[in-house]
Amino acid sequence: MGRRVAIVGAALSDCGRVDNKTAFQLHYQGCSRALADAGLTRDDVDGFASTNTGVMAPVELGEYLGLHPTWVDSTGVGGATWEFMAEHAVAAIAEGHAETILISYGSTTRADLKKGRRTANLNFGNRGPVQFDAPFGHTIISKYAMSTRRHMIEFGTTLEQLAEIAVAARFNAKDNPDAYYRDPITVDDVLSAPMMADPLTTRQCCIRSDGGGAVVLTSEERARDCAKAPVWVLGTGEATSHTTMSEWADFTESPCVHSGRLAFERAGLTPGDVDICQVYDAFTSMVLITLEGLGFCKTGEGGEFVADGKLRLGGALPTNTDGGGLSACHPGMRGMFLMVEAAKQLRGESGPRQVPDARIACVSGTGGWFSSAGTLILGTE
């Protein structure tokens, strides 16, 4: 790459139960707060990335926000979209195609469901290759349930080990005032909850919330003059896998195997250098398989790896320190929240849930049903 690139602004919109705002208003909140966090204004922005609001998302959102970018991105790969966009933004800034790029997300998924404006499951069945899965009735959760069961069969992963991931998320959420759920839970609570898709109970599935956020990336030269200490993007990687289940070669492997390898290689670091992880956790098994794919433990050893509480604050590898999608927020796609939480942790701004001396963060988003993965390695130096 040419110039070094940093995250200089990171903020959330209102999150949780937001019945009085549109998705556009949440975008505006997140972007305004992120720019203020960086000490910048919309006039400083020459690049903009977003999706999920319509066929011309960055155009209509740019108009709403009063932006006139000369670089845009509307990549759509599910929950990993924001990590993909970050990699594209880093490349653009490094090569001088843009100076300051704003990446935004906003969603009123919970409010829309409550008001009957959308259904709980996205309709992929009437177009493209996924139509050949549709007759079998696969929902997104059922695809993850099959992956979970396959991991249990092949490697002996237990329900108790999976449940610990949900318990750890709730443990971390207790000190996050913005988290949707903060009351502690136990492994028994997780396992005795209503079944959603065998073997996943409701407490092993992400919550439905509203919310959004934004991050601002800029060049090293500009970053030095911003309001907050820069969080450097040390390495990035992206990869895709499949949409139809029949084309997924290994139900226990995430494409983060490839995105993570690229990110760590480009950063010149290894999983052993990482202080905190922010990984996509729509389901408990997603965390386990992602940690294996990124190299924090060997394939098949994820259950034992997480069982001792190391994902909790105070543990050996604090993961999803805000409570994650399992307890904090999940408005449909969560990749943005991973970046915001990582930036705040590395800047030492997380209050009671702050991880002491956090210097290196691994952020990894997942889209679809392990269909895509984007990984970032972030650092304070």
PDB file of all heavy atoms in Angstrom, residues 4 6 20 26 151 168 284 288:
ATOM      1  N   ARG A   4      -0.487   5.085   4.939  1.00  0.00           N
ATOM      2  CA  ARG A   4      -1.167   4.372   6.018  1.00  0.00           C
ATOM      3  C   ARG A   4      -2.540   4.994   6.230  1.00  0.00           C
ATOM      4  O   ARG A   4      -2.754   6.174   5.982  1.00  0.00           O
ATOM      5  CB  ARG A   4      -0.350   4.446   7.311  1.00  0.00           C
ATOM      6  CG  ARG A   4       0.942   3.644   7.268  1.00  0.00           C
ATOM      7  CD  ARG A   4       1.321   3.158   8.664  1.00  0.00           C
ATOM      8  NE  ARG A   4       1.470   4.256   9.610  1.00  0.00           N
ATOM      9  CZ  ARG A   4       1.517   4.083  10.940  1.00  0.00           C
ATOM     10  NH1 ARG A   4       1.412   2.866  11.444  1.00  0.00           N
ATOM     11  NH2 ARG A   4       1.662   5.104  11.746  1.00  0.00           N
ATOM     12  N   ALA A   6      -6.136   5.172   8.855  1.00  0.00           N
ATOM     13  CA  ALA A   6      -6.607   5.006  10.229  1.00  0.00           C
ATOM     14  C   ALA A   6      -8.101   5.277  10.323  1.00  0.00           C
ATOM     15  O   ALA A   6      -8.666   6.056   9.543  1.00  0.00           O
ATOM     16  CB  ALA A   6      -5.861   5.942  11.168  1.00  0.00           C
ATOM     17  N   ASN A  20     -39.254   5.706  17.031  1.00  0.00           N
ATOM     18  CA  ASN A  20     -39.611   7.041  16.564  1.00  0.00           C
ATOM     19  C   ASN A  20     -38.670   7.596  15.502  1.00  0.00           C
ATOM     20  O   ASN A  20     -38.670   8.795  15.235  1.00  0.00           O
ATOM     21  CB  ASN A  20     -39.664   8.012  17.747  1.00  0.00           C
ATOM     22  CG  ASN A  20     -38.308   8.135  18.449  1.00  0.00           C
ATOM     23  OD1 ASN A  20     -37.426   7.310  18.231  1.00  0.00           O
ATOM     24  ND2 ASN A  20     -38.154   9.151  19.271  1.00  0.00           N
ATOM     25  N   LEU A  26     -31.356   7.213  11.500  1.00  0.00           N
ATOM     26  CA  LEU A  26     -30.285   6.523  12.219  1.00  0.00           C
ATOM     27  C   LEU A  26     -28.958   6.679  11.485  1.00  0.00           C
ATOM     28  O   LEU A  26     -27.901   6.842  12.106  1.00  0.00           O
ATOM     29  CB  LEU A  26     -30.639   5.049  12.408  1.00  0.00           C
ATOM     30  CG  LEU A  26     -31.863   4.763  13.289  1.00  0.00           C
ATOM     31  CD1 LEU A  26     -32.064   3.264  13.454  1.00  0.00           C
ATOM     32  CD2 LEU A  26     -31.736   5.439  14.645  1.00  0.00           C
ATOM     33  N   HIS A 151     -20.625 -29.735  13.247  1.00  0.00           N
ATOM     34  CA  HIS A 151     -19.442 -29.525  14.090  1.00  0.00           C
ATOM     35  C   HIS A 151     -19.501 -30.432  15.313  1.00  0.00           C
ATOM     36  O   HIS A 151     -18.478 -31.010  15.724  1.00  0.00           O
ATOM     37  CB  HIS A 151     -19.362 -28.057  14.516  1.00  0.00           C
ATOM     38  CG  HIS A 151     -17.995 -27.612  14.944  1.00  0.00           C
ATOM     39  ND1 HIS A 151     -17.479 -27.903  16.195  1.00  0.00           N
ATOM     40  CD2 HIS A 151     -17.026 -26.918  14.288  1.00  0.00           C
ATOM     41  CE1 HIS A 151     -16.259 -27.388  16.291  1.00  0.00           C
ATOM     42  NE2 HIS A 151     -15.954 -26.791  15.143  1.00  0.00           N
ATOM     43  N   ALA A 168     -21.040 -15.811  28.002  1.00  0.00           N
ATOM     44  CA  ALA A 168     -19.948 -14.836  27.957  1.00  0.00           C
ATOM     45  C   ALA A 168     -20.417 -13.512  27.360  1.00  0.00           C
ATOM     46  O   ALA A 168     -20.050 -12.431  27.837  1.00  0.00           O
ATOM     47  CB  ALA A 168     -18.779 -15.395  27.154  1.00  0.00           C
ATOM     48  N   THR A 284     -24.333 -18.787  18.366  1.00  0.00           N
ATOM     49  CA  THR A 284     -23.169 -19.150  19.175  1.00  0.00           C
ATOM     50  C   THR A 284     -22.125 -19.901  18.362  1.00  0.00           C
ATOM     51  O   THR A 284     -20.926 -19.657  18.483  1.00  0.00           O
ATOM     52  CB  THR A 284     -23.594 -19.997  20.375  1.00  0.00           C
ATOM     53  OG1 THR A 284     -24.400 -21.100  19.917  1.00  0.00           O
ATOM     54  CG2 THR A 284     -24.398 -19.181  21.371  1.00  0.00           C
ATOM     55  N   LEU A 288     -17.639 -19.791  17.489  1.00  0.00           N
ATOM     56  CA  LEU A 288     -16.719 -20.928  17.628  1.00  0.00           C
ATOM     57  C   LEU A 288     -16.016 -21.222  16.303  1.00  0.00           C
ATOM     58  O   LEU A 288     -14.780 -21.357  16.249  1.00  0.00           O
ATOM     59  CB  LEU A 288     -17.510 -22.134  18.129  1.00  0.00           C
ATOM     60  CG  LEU A 288     -16.751 -23.390  18.505  1.00  0.00           C
ATOM     61  CD1 LEU A 288     -17.482 -24.130  19.620  1.00  0.00           C
ATOM     62  CD2 LEU A 288     -16.640 -24.313  17.292  1.00  0.00           C
TER      63      LEU A 288
END
